[in-house]
Amino acid sequence: MNRPSARAVIKEITTGFEDLDVPRSEEPNDGPIGWPGYRSARETAEERTGESESVLCGTAKIGDVEAVVIAFEFGFLGGSIGRRTGDRVEAAFARAVESRLPVVSLIATGGSRMQHGMLALSQSQRIARAAAGARSVPQISVLRDPTTGGGWATLGASADVVLAQPGAQVGFAGSRVRPAGASTEAYTAEAKLAWGQVDQIVTPAELPSTLERWLRLLTSSTTEAAEPPGALGSTDLPETGWDAVQAARSAERPRAAEYLDAYFDWREEVSGDRCGGVDSGVSCGFGWRSGRAIAYAAQCGTATLPAGFRTAARLVRLASRLGIPVLTLVDTPGAANDEAAERAGAGATIAELFEAVASAAVPITTLVIGEGGSGGALAFAAPGSTWVTPSAYFSVTSPEAAAAILKLPADEVPALADRLRLRPQDLVALGIARSVVRPADRV
């Protein structure tokens, strides 16, 4: 395979790259554990690549944003991680914290350097500690081919935003140590995207502009709350509770994607809960509006899965850490409550999102745009900072479920909707919502 060198990749996405000056730690000729032939292999790698180690670390501009860049050179002993690799990565994160610069890791590695034994494996602990100590700055990883072993299990998987190149081999196990008969498809960037472990697949041609957008978003902190979107669609308030329910369930009503497209100039999405799950009924990411970044977590009208709550909680925690306000859109008949959802931890994941919202260090703004069904909707809502559209409702549970709980006949469901006081104007009167938004309303 014809892989571009680390410097070629850096040149494609940055300007003004300057290597960090990291002192080389002393090392015996055949490495720290005296591996026969290691010196010769290392000298060959240096001659072939023109580099003195498997990773390059430095500062550069990506678009208009200065960043610390960590780039693996796969041609140098398979991009393997040894003690001097750890020296450089640790120095890169220290520089990022000192200068308050985001970190972009361009990863292409087979993992730990066998010729360094346990001293190589222990670099994963060292790199993890350095990354954890730099959580005050945004961290983005780009998974090139291959990204395996400690490179995936530290810099790759732990980043705030994980981008991957099409067809890249990604997995903790490298190709030579997988179980016999293991499917190669499970070790691809595409599989990791489907399983909620990667945010986006990005082609090499798209990478410079994608990184520029992400860095612009993640480095634009502000203390000002997001303003609620104006209402789309009908502006008529419902006369009855059942009218409100019917309006919220109408197929003609605008959905989250329409609200997000109308609200933001442009946006980038994150995907997945990092635990193996993706909920297509929850849209999360960061958007640019009127010169500033706003994070968003939006329900899209379906029953929210545990993966959706985890993804939203991940989004809120990240935005809180980086000082970026959050907009949430509520639209769900309720949390998924089937056997699969219970097995996946429905209650625990709802609790996780409640906690993320309650403990957020940034303002959260909520707009109820459709159905607000029970706790699965409430977990997305910000107390004291919730607005509602004319074609929405918010209820302790659906009228049908309330009838079942109270052992009432089905023909009493419409009247029960009135008694639940779930209309937009009822929510304002009860103090649940601050007001009903109108087109182009700004607060």
Side-chain angles (χ1 to χ4, degrees), residues 87-102:
D87 291 342
R88 292 190 175 191
V89 173
E90 188 174 62
F93 277 108
R95 175 62 180 276
V97 173
E98 177 188 1
S99 303
R100 295 203 57 77
L101 297 178

Side-chain angles (χ1 to χ4, degrees), residues 256-264 267 269 283 296 298 327 329:
E258 295 167 81
Y259 274 94
L260 295 173
D261 288 343
Y263 189 77
F264 290 113
R267 56 194 173 95
E269 292 213 343
S283 179
Y296 64 87
L327 169 70
L329 301 180

Side-chain angles (χ1 to χ4, degrees), residues 93 95-103 131 133-140 160 218-219 318 321-322:
F93 277 108
R95 175 62 180 276
V97 173
E98 177 188 1
S99 303
R100 295 203 57 77
L101 297 178
V103 178
R135 288 300 176 189
S136 57
V137 299
Q139 299 178 28
I140 301 175
D160 300 320
L218 298 182
T219 58
L318 174 57
R321 203 184 80 227
L322 299 181

Side-chain angles (χ1 to χ4, degrees), residues 48-392:
R48 181 171 57 246
T49 64
E51 305 296 344
S52 60
E53 192 43 76
S54 63
V55 68
L56 284 67
C57 297
T59 58
K61 279 198 169 183
I62 298 177
D64 292 329
V65 180
E66 188 175 3
V68 169
V69 177
I70 298 170
F72 281 79
E73 174 54 71
F74 191 79
F76 192 103
L77 300 177
S80 58
I81 300 171
R83 184 165 59 182
R84 289 175 178 170
T85 318
D87 291 342
R88 292 190 175 191
V89 173
E90 188 174 62
F93 277 108
R95 175 62 180 276
V97 173
E98 177 188 1
S99 303
R100 295 203 57 77
L101 297 178
V103 178
V104 176
S105 299
L106 308 170
I107 306 170
T109 173
S112 300
R113 189 169 300 171
M114 294 299 101
Q115 299 93 327
H116 282 199
M118 274 300 298
L119 285 174
L121 186 63
S122 67
Q123 299 308 306
S124 292
Q125 294 172 318
R126 188 181 182 191
I127 291 170
R129 183 173 60 248
R135 288 300 176 189
S136 57
V137 299
Q139 299 178 28
I140 301 175
S141 64
V142 179
L143 313 181
R144 297 157 58 213
D145 185 47
T147 297
T148 60
W152 168 230
T154 54
L155 292 176
S158 72
D160 300 320
V161 174
V162 181
L163 309 177
Q165 299 198 333
Q169 179 188 169
V170 180
F172 185 62
S175 60
R176 299 179 184 178
V177 295
R178 295 170 190 160
S183 169
T184 57
E185 293 180 1
Y187 301 89
T188 62
E190 287 75 11
K192 298 302 185 288
L193 177 67
W195 296 336
Q197 299 164 35
V198 162
D199 290 304
Q200 295 178 3
I201 303 290
V202 182
T203 67
E206 297 168 332
L207 186 58
S209 61
T210 300
L211 279 174
E212 181 179 358
R213 284 158 65 104
W214 268 116
L215 287 172
R216 189 175 172 192
L217 289 167
L218 298 182
T219 58
S220 298
S221 62
T222 177
T223 58
E224 184 182 351
E227 55 191 355
L232 302 178
S234 175
T235 60
D236 296 330
L237 288 173
E239 292 186 8
T240 69
W242 189 240
D243 289 339
V245 173
Q246 295 298 95
R249 292 175 178 174
S250 170
E252 306 303 317
R253 172 182 56 77
R255 304 285 164 158
E258 295 167 81
Y259 274 94
L260 295 173
D261 288 343
Y263 189 77
F264 290 113
D265 302 326
W266 50 270
R267 56 194 173 95
E268 294 286 346
E269 292 213 343
V270 300
S271 177
D273 64 0
R274 297 291 186 266
C275 299
V278 174
D279 182 357
S280 61
V282 172
S283 179
C284 293
F286 292 78
W288 194 258
R289 174 179 168 83
S290 302
R292 68 188 187 117
I294 297 171
Y296 64 87
Q299 293 173 309
C300 301
T302 57
T304 302
L305 304 175
F309 292 110
R310 285 195 189 98
T311 305
R314 175 168 78 92
L315 182 282
V316 171
R317 286 193 297 263
L318 174 57
S320 179
R321 203 184 80 227
L322 299 181
I324 299 172
V326 179
L327 169 70
T328 63
L329 301 180
V330 170
D331 185 10
T332 181
N337 58 5
D338 57 10
E339 182 181 343
E342 290 296 329
R343 186 183 307 116
T349 60
I350 294 171
E352 184 179 349
L353 181 53
F354 270 127
E355 180 178 354
V357 170
S359 60
V362 294
I364 300 177
T365 301
T366 298
L367 180 64
V368 186
I369 65 171
E371 291 196 79
S374 195
L378 190 66
F380 274 75
S385 189
T386 292
W387 282 258
V388 61
T389 65
S391 53

